[in-house]
């Protein structure tokens, strides 16, 4: 079973689990994601779906300009989430969307290694992609109705 995790954004994190083990992580440009997915085998696609969380929490006082930039960035990520859904539907791939809050907080390299056992290099985009798929890394294929 190949589970691919995606952290959408301008710099999109992609992580691949094969039979439950983290195999690789990449950071790619958002516009390269469909080609990346076309070139790889995917049984289950798990992604951080910004559309599942209507309220943004920044934890700090922001200017109007800063709030508008965040809104624009989130709108772009919402669009990317829709593109992921459409790609998966067109290719018969099962998806699971995870809200940003549901994914949990960011982990640094040390915390990430302790949780996943990954000893290779990583960046925040790849780690986020791996973390969004982590709870589903042992997913089983859906049964096919042969009747």
């Amino acid at each position: 079973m190949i589970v691919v995790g995606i952290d959408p954004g301008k710099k999109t994190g992609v992580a691949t689990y094969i039979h439950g083990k983290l195999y690789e992580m990449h950071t790619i440009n958002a516009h390269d994601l469909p080609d990346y997915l076309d070139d790889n085998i995917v049984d289950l696609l798990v992604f951080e779906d910004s559309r599942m969380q209507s309220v943004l929490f920044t934890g700090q006082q922001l200017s109007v300009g800063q709030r508008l930039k965040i809104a624009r960035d989130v709108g772009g990520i919402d669009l990317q989430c829709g593109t992921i859904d459409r790609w998966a539907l067109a290719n018969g791939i099962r998806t699971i969307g995870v809200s940003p809050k549901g994914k949990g907080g960011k982990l640094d390299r040390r915390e990430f290694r302790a949780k996943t056992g990954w000893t290779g290099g990583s960046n925040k985009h790849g780690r986020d992609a791996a973390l969004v798929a982590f709870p589903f890394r042992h997913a089983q294929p859906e049964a096919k109705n042969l009747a």
Side-chain angles (χ1 to χ4, degrees):
M1 180 77 168
I2 300 174
V3 177
V4 173
I6 299 175
D7 176 40
K10 290 178 186 176
K11 294 188 183 278
T12 296
V14 181
T16 303
Y17 289 89
I18 299 178
H19 303 299
K21 182 173 173 43
L22 183 56
Y23 178 73
E24 64 184 5
M25 292 185 291
H26 300 283
T27 300
I28 61 176
N29 291 319
H31 64 272
D32 292 329
L33 183 60
D35 289 337
Y36 178 89
L37 293 172
D38 285 341
D39 292 342
N40 289 277
I41 297 170
V42 180
D43 294 312
L44 173 62
L45 191 56
V46 184
F47 64 101
E48 184 175 328
D49 192 344
S50 57
R51 302 168 301 172
M52 297 178 78
Q53 189 170 319
S54 62
V55 178
L56 301 175
F57 300 96
T58 62
Q60 42 185 290
Q61 298 295 331
L62 300 175
S63 70
V64 171
Q66 290 169 317
R67 288 175 191 231
L68 289 172
K69 181 183 181 324
I70 290 171
R72 180 179 294 128
D73 290 347
V74 171
I77 294 169
D78 286 354
L79 181 63
Q80 192 176 4
C81 290
T83 300
I84 292 167
D85 272 337
R86 286 187 301 280
W87 179 91
L89 181 63
N91 288 281
I93 305 297
R94 184 169 55 126
T95 62
I96 297 174
V98 177
S99 76
K101 188 176 180 182
K103 182 198 71 163
K106 305 233 183 254
L107 300 183
D108 64 24
R109 289 175 197 242
R110 182 186 54 74
E111 294 165 324
F112 183 77
R113 179 174 292 151
K115 181 169 185 158
T116 66
W118 179 259
T119 58
S122 67
N123 64 31
K124 64 182 179 178
H125 306 293
R127 289 192 298 268
D128 281 354
L131 290 172
V132 78
F134 187 77
F136 307 97
R137 68 193 183 283
H138 294 295
Q140 298 298 313
E142 287 188 354
K144 306 272 188 215
N145 185 356
L146 302 176

